[in-house]
């Protein structure tokens, strides 16, 4: 996903302890881009975010991504950006199998 013509690659860390997610950009040397460390800080990732002027202003319940929603080959939305999950590490593969 990119607005400047090329694809950008990210690492998504999902924390099973509290169901939070963080998304970090994978920077390559001499890419010509300014390094931007994080797309998303560690927080619960809503499927359809409720955007308000002040946090906690809405009384609607948000639906958050769970491990069942995040699988390889399934696109997820991160605050309006389409992201494709295409690989995971060996521990995650084993966790999904069990």
């Amino acid at each position: 996903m990119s607005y400047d013509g090329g694809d950008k690659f990210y690492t998504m860390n999902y924390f099973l302890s509290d169901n939070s997610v963080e998304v970090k950009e994978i920077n390559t040397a001499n890419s010509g881009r300014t390094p931007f460390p994080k797309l998303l800080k560690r927080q619960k990732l809503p499927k359809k975010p409720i955007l308000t002027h002040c946090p906690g202003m809405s009384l609607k319940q948000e639906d958050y991504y769970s491990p069942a929603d995040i699988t390889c080959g399934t696109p997820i939305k991160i605050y309006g950006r389409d992201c494709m999950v295409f690989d995971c590490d060996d521990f995650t593969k084993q966790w999904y199998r069990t």
Side-chain angles (χ1 to χ4, degrees):
M1 75 178 162
S2 177
Y3 294 108
D4 58 357
D7 290 335
K8 292 184 181 176
F9 295 95
Y10 296 90
T11 299
M12 182 173 77
N13 297 320
Y14 190 91
F15 299 93
L16 292 170
S17 60
D18 60 353
N19 293 330
S20 61
V21 175
E22 78 176 354
V23 181
K24 297 179 178 181
E25 184 176 349
I26 299 173
N27 295 318
T28 57
N30 298 326
S31 65
R33 296 181 176 148
T34 304
F36 191 75
K38 288 187 183 181
L39 175 67
L40 184 71
K41 69 177 185 172
R42 186 175 174 174
Q43 63 184 358
K44 288 188 176 184
L45 181 61
K47 292 180 182 178
K48 244 182 143 178
I50 300 170
L51 303 175
T52 60
H53 294 291
C54 298
M57 226 173 144
S58 176
L59 298 175
K60 295 180 182 176
Q61 285 291 98
E62 286 188 310
D63 189 22
Y64 297 104
Y65 279 102
S66 67
D69 301 321
I70 302 172
T71 58
C72 289
T74 305
I76 62 171
K77 280 210 176 274
I78 300 178
Y79 288 100
R81 294 182 183 207
D82 291 322
C83 297
M84 176 66 70
V85 178
F86 63 89
D87 197 14
C88 59
D89 62 351
D90 293 332
F91 174 80
T92 306
K93 289 176 186 175
Q94 184 61 34
W95 187 85
Y96 272 109
R97 284 186 194 121
T98 58

